[in-house]
Amino acid sequence: MTQSFRLSCVAILCCLSGVVAAQSADDDWDDDWGDSEEQSPWTWSGFVEAAQGRWLDSQPTSGPMQEWRAYLDLGYEQEVFRFQIKTEALYDSFTDEKEGRLREAWLQTALGEQWELKVGRQVISWGTGDLLFLNDLFPKSWPSYLNGRDDVYLKQSVDGIRIHYYGEAVNLDAVWMPRFEPDEFLRGQRFPLYLPSSQSVGFIDPPLSAFLPPEHEDDGELALRVFANLGSLEWSLFAYNGFFKSPTGFDQQGRLIHYPMHSLGASVRDNLAGGLVSAEVVHYVSKEDKEGTDPLIPNSESRLLLSYEKQIANQTTLSSQLYFERTHQYDALLAHSLQPQQESDAWQRMVTVRLVHLALMQSLETNLMAFYSMADDDYHWRLKMTYRMNDQWQLSGGGYWFGGKQASTFFGQLDSSDHLWLRVRYRFD
Amino acid sequence: MLKRFFDGQKWLLCLLLVQSIAHAELTVEQIIEAANAASYYPGDDARAEARMKIVDAQGRKQMRQFMMLRQDVEEQGAQNFMVVFSRPADVKGTVLLVNKHIDKDDDRWLYLPGLDLVKRIAAGDKRTSFVGSHFFYEDVSGRLPSYDHHQLTGNDEQHYILRSEPKADQQVAFAHYVSKINKQTMLPDEVVYFNDKGKAYRKVEIVQTKNIDGFNTVTAAKVSDLISGAYTQIQFRHIKYNLEIPSTIFSERSLRNPPAKWLKR
């Protein structure tokens, strides 16, 4: 396994050096704007990518990421509508799965002067958090977040209808997803998990699966945002009706369940003292356990995020976030809990710091992010370096470290999952 | 207070100097104002297509291609910019929106299509590379004339020659720069930046201008790193002025769905 990782690295580096040599001989500015005098409505581009990870700790597999990916993006644009199809073929040698995926396929059109409609499979993001999500209740892929894939794979696409209204004073953004779109959660397959039953950390075979309560199996989700700018201040109000995105409850058979939830939230963002400040708040209502007395169903909770970002030196930006999470009806939770000693504190507090430095005419990005949870006393470090060799080749590498005092906390359970990863991508258009 | 007085004295000195050199010609202030207007404010709004060739010291080449919309909120004052990238593949669909202000930090947003994320960018040093090229943000959106002290040092058939020094509160890499302002077009045909050792290290030059809709317009320019030999060339085409672009176009709506009506040729 280790040898295959080394071979991949060698192959990747050989490819790169060959390409650099070929690239320097290439010189064709002259008249190639990449299109004819007619503006074509069609656009296309793509990439192929090889990715490898390697555990720094003793694990039964060589690493949490071993995959090959080919991606194609095709678009068509007219004055009144446009569509985009993003497809990819993936060979994941970790799970030994070969699959074709439709990452996005949507049609966007204006409905009169002020309305817009976007229908189909699409990626949707909103909110102010940096890898922390309060009102962004669109599905995430937590394995992708942890294993070193490109940041875009943290967000999963949804099948839905999105309507925008752009008014004089306020704007509206509404998304209806006819089927529930859950997070891809940690299933004990790629990363070992803490099992409360055995009070130990391990891989789970078969991997965990989760369900909707039977009476909600056909229910979808609705997400709303009302937003506007007041000068340079941006404000948003959010509402959501659906389910807890990750399965945080159980049924009587002990299966993982996504219980119904609705939420209300708000955010503001503005320039302050040469930097950028934002605040976001959300209240999740656990619809089937408002009193907090059912130990199988998660309680309601509130979350608050405060962020500041500033360029501290030339090409260097520092940002920090303070995150607070409050579990409601905590006394009821403890009184009815099956394992009160295993419950998290009523208050969760976390701090994150991110440092981004650009060098070599912005072709080399060094990105370091740290998470520390005061309540759980656990941490996570993410170091990522991206070298954009030219318009075609990009080499990324990084290391992710985890740890904590107790194996039962989120990062604590990943204590033996530290790993390094390397990705090489060739783009074309 | 003392500093302001001193600055005022310097300005007065400059003015006297200018008047003695330029005789009946324009004053420094008039030249600077005209050059700023010609460079960054022709028409009330504009659209253009641009491409850049970035060549490093080893001769390796990169390309950037984008469409630009510009709108003046006030003459020689606040402006809105939108830049929609089409090449290379990794920035395709990325959109930059800038609300440029005179008296406070600019507001800048970047739309990342892969995540559908409208990312706000902290107001920062404007003398940093524009998308990996040798151009700075400031070369694209304009450096405020009030940031520097300007002095007319020469005056030939074709050019006014100005020497500009950053004011004390400006933290910049250059010690001064020398501009050659074309007397006919009022565009800076050449600007050379000098470091504190008096060595020229950066040059921005106009390669081609055309008269478009009555405005003298830069259609090709080049910025060179005089130390390493690296450079970036930029070309513009399909330039149009006074399209009457509504100000609502410079909003989140256009970040998520670039306005084909205004971007088309």
Side-chain angles (χ1 to χ4, degrees):
Chain A
M1 285 297 194
T2 308
Q3 197 179 2
S4 84
F5 177 80
R6 272 199 212 116
L7 277 173
S8 303
C9 294
V10 170
I12 286 164
L13 291 173
C14 287
C15 281
L16 291 176
S17 51
V19 167
V20 172
Q23 190 62 26
S24 46
D26 180 23
D27 189 21
D28 65 338
W29 166 261
D30 305 316
D31 269 324
D32 175 25
W33 282 77
D35 57 7
S36 59
E37 278 300 298
E38 283 296 306
Q39 215 169 353
S40 170
W42 292 95
T43 58
W44 69 281
S45 62
F47 67 78
V48 288
E49 183 180 77
Q52 283 281 327
R54 195 173 77 163
W55 298 115
L56 289 171
D57 302 295
S58 168
Q59 294 278 7
T61 56
S62 65
M65 178 168 69
Q66 297 152 48
E67 59 198 28
W68 297 82
R69 194 184 290 269
Y71 172 96
L72 194 65
D73 177 347
L74 181 72
Y76 180 86
E77 180 170 348
Q78 284 285 0
E79 196 170 315
V80 288
F81 77 93
R82 64 182 179 131
F83 72 79
Q84 198 96 32
I85 293 177
K86 300 178 182 176
T87 59
E88 57 186 18
L90 177 72
Y91 172 59
D92 185 343
S93 80
F94 185 93
T95 53
D96 198 28
E97 282 171 355
K98 301 177 190 75
E99 58 173 327
R101 287 183 182 174
L102 198 55
R103 171 94 181 145
E104 291 183 47
W106 47 259
L107 175 83
Q108 188 167 32
T109 181
L111 301 172
E113 283 289 302
Q114 293 179 299
W115 294 85
E116 266 178 21
L117 179 69
K118 192 171 174 181
V119 184
R121 180 165 296 183
Q122 49 194 305
V123 173
I124 302 174
S125 298
W126 63 38
T128 61
D130 179 10
L131 295 185
L132 291 175
F133 304 94
L134 281 71
N135 289 290
D136 183 332
L137 290 160
F138 302 101
K140 327 287 181 304
S141 167
W142 297 109
S144 298
Y145 166 80
L146 294 176
N147 79 349
R149 284 186 190 131
D150 189 295
D151 285 347
V152 301
Y153 294 105
L154 169 61
K155 293 303 292 255
Q156 306 227 80
S157 43
V158 301
D159 292 329
I161 296 175
R162 184 174 191 180
I163 294 173
H164 277 110
Y165 167 75
Y166 295 101
E168 295 285 316
V170 293
N171 310 298
L172 172 74
D173 194 351
V175 186
W176 178 59
M177 289 149 281
R179 271 184 337 206
F180 174 54
E181 305 275 3
D183 285 353
E184 185 187 354
F185 60 100
L186 298 177
R187 304 166 67 210
Q189 183 185 33
R190 216 174 276 270
F191 292 91
L193 292 184
Y194 176 75
L195 288 170
S197 51
S198 63
Q199 301 200 0
S200 65
V201 172
F203 289 95
I204 302 166
D205 192 25
L208 297 173
S209 44
F211 305 88
L212 286 180
E215 65 276 23
H216 293 291
E217 264 171 7
D218 299 323
D219 291 1
E221 296 168 275
L222 185 65
L224 295 171
R225 178 173 68 120
V226 175
F227 64 102
N229 289 12
L230 278 174
S232 66
L233 174 91
E234 298 169 88
W235 63 263
S236 298
L237 298 173
F238 305 91
Y240 169 82
N241 187 31
F243 302 87
F244 285 98
K245 302 299 286 191
S246 282
T248 43
F250 299 90
D251 63 9
Q252 296 294 345
Q253 292 83 49
R255 301 185 309 166
L256 283 166
I257 301 289
H258 297 274
Y259 278 102
M261 182 269 277
H262 66 236
S263 76
L264 281 173
S267 73
V268 288
R269 185 161 66 177
D270 203 353
N271 290 327
L272 181 76
L276 202 57
V277 67
S278 63
E280 185 169 343
V281 64
V282 69
H283 179 58
Y284 298 152
V285 177
S286 181
K287 283 157 67 173
E288 296 191 354
D289 187 25
K290 286 183 180 166
E291 306 305 318
T293 52
D294 190 329
L296 300 178
I297 304 179
N299 280 27
S300 299
E301 61 183 66
S302 297
R303 297 179 177 188
L304 169 69
L305 183 70
L306 303 171
S307 322
Y308 190 69
E309 176 181 326
K310 186 167 181 157
Q311 187 180 324
I312 52 164
N314 192 17
Q315 307 282 17
T316 307
T317 304
L318 181 71
S319 58
S320 183
Q321 303 180 107
L322 281 174
Y323 170 82
F324 304 89
E325 187 181 303
R326 162 92 174 139
T327 302
H328 295 287
Q329 289 83 38
Y330 190 73
D331 293 341
L333 175 85
L334 286 188
H336 294 86
S337 176
L338 304 176
Q339 291 178 303
Q341 70 285 3
Q342 295 272 325
E343 296 293 348
S344 304
D345 292 351
W347 280 96
Q348 293 284 326
R349 293 174 303 275
M350 183 182 276
V351 59
T352 77
V353 178
R354 188 197 278 272
L355 190 67
V356 181
H357 177 69
L358 299 171
L360 305 176
M361 295 292 292
Q362 300 183 345
S363 62
L364 178 66
E365 179 184 310
T366 306
N367 201 316
L368 179 67
M369 189 168 185
F371 293 75
Y372 174 68
S373 164
M374 284 85 104
D376 286 348
D377 199 10
D378 63 351
Y379 66 88
H380 170 37
W381 286 86
R382 299 164 74 87
L383 172 66
K384 183 168 90 173
M385 294 186 77
T386 304
Y387 180 46
R388 194 179 179 288
M389 305 189 70
N390 51 43
D391 293 340
Q392 289 76 42
W393 288 92
Q394 181 170 297
L395 182 67
S396 315
Y400 292 178
W401 292 267
F402 312 89
K405 232 174 192 170
Q406 292 171 321
S408 57
T409 63
F410 185 76
F411 295 131
Q413 69 186 337
L414 297 165
D415 201 6
S416 57
S417 296
D418 300 346
H419 61 98
L420 300 177
W421 54 266
L422 185 68
R423 284 191 277 116
V424 61
R425 180 177 285 199
Y426 176 78
R427 297 191 188 88
F428 52 87
D429 64 351
Chain B
M1 200 63 194
L2 197 66
K3 188 181 153 293
R4 199 178 292 166
F5 177 73
F6 182 70
D7 280 356
Q9 292 286 304
K10 226 161 146 181
W11 266 108
L12 195 66
L13 202 69
C14 285
L15 280 175
L16 291 172
L17 203 67
V18 169
Q19 278 170 358
S20 65
I21 294 171
H23 304 290
E25 295 204 48
L26 299 174
T27 65
V28 161
E29 284 162 315
Q30 288 168 326
I31 294 167
I32 290 291
E33 194 179 312
N36 192 43
S39 302
Y40 298 108
Y41 293 89
D44 293 333
D45 60 36
R47 69 82 72 190
E49 285 168 43
R51 64 173 179 176
M52 293 195 295
K53 181 165 78 168
I54 305 162
V55 181
D56 72 10
Q58 287 76 43
R60 290 176 301 205
K61 191 190 75 171
Q62 295 183 45
M63 298 281 288
R64 304 284 184 271
Q65 198 162 319
F66 50 92
M67 289 183 276
M68 254 179 114
L69 297 177
R70 189 204 83 220
Q71 181 186 51
D72 299 348
V73 178
E74 50 206 21
E75 193 50 41
Q76 299 243 22
Q79 290 178 305
N80 298 322
F81 292 89
M82 189 163 62
V83 182
V84 181
F85 290 89
S86 54
R87 289 170 91 188
D90 57 333
V91 296
K92 188 188 132 194
T94 302
V95 184
L96 173 70
L97 175 66
V98 180
N99 296 342
K100 172 181 145 184
H101 303 292
I102 301 299
D103 49 356
K104 58 175 186 171
D105 285 335
D106 294 352
D107 301 315
R108 300 194 284 182
W109 292 268
L110 197 63
Y111 177 70
L112 305 173
L115 284 163
D116 177 57
L117 183 68
V118 175
K119 185 178 162 61
R120 190 153 176 181
I121 312 169
D125 187 355
K126 288 186 218 168
R127 296 189 63 77
T128 55
S129 164
F130 176 66
V131 291
S133 75
H134 297 88
F135 284 98
F136 294 150
Y137 275 92
E138 204 171 75
D139 297 319
V140 180
S141 65
R143 178 174 174 80
L144 291 186
S146 60
Y147 287 170
D148 309 312
H149 294 295
H150 309 280
Q151 192 185 342
L152 185 63
T153 56
N155 188 6
D156 63 25
E157 283 283 298
Q158 290 189 333
H159 296 103
Y160 298 107
I161 298 165
L162 299 177
R163 180 189 156 102
S164 307
E165 280 179 32
K167 289 183 180 169
D169 61 345
Q170 293 290 313
Q171 295 189 339
V172 286
F174 61 83
H176 74 276
Y177 59 93
V178 173
S179 328
K180 287 184 179 176
I181 312 287
N182 188 302
K183 285 183 175 173
Q184 283 204 312
T185 62
M186 291 313 286
L187 292 167
D189 281 349
E190 184 185 287
V191 183
V192 179
Y193 295 83
F194 294 81
N195 62 20
D196 52 9
K197 295 190 183 79
K199 188 174 166 61
Y201 70 95
R202 181 174 190 263
K203 181 164 81 171
V204 183
E205 61 196 307
I206 292 172
V207 176
Q208 187 183 51
T209 55
K210 282 183 187 163
N211 189 299
I212 295 169
D213 300 343
F215 298 103
N216 291 307
T217 304
V218 177
T219 53
K222 182 180 179 183
V223 55
S224 310
D225 179 334
L226 301 175
I227 310 283
S228 74
Y231 63 92
T232 296
Q233 287 175 287
I234 190 166
Q235 293 182 338
F236 298 96
R237 64 174 186 172
H238 301 294
I239 302 163
K240 286 187 200 163
Y241 291 107
N242 293 329
L243 299 159
E244 297 186 18
I245 304 171
S247 56
T248 52
I249 288 299
F250 298 88
S251 67
E252 181 174 325
R253 178 180 195 167
S254 299
L255 285 170
R256 293 183 185 274
N257 189 12
K261 181 180 175 186
W262 301 104
L263 292 168
K264 74 172 185 194
R265 283 173 198 161

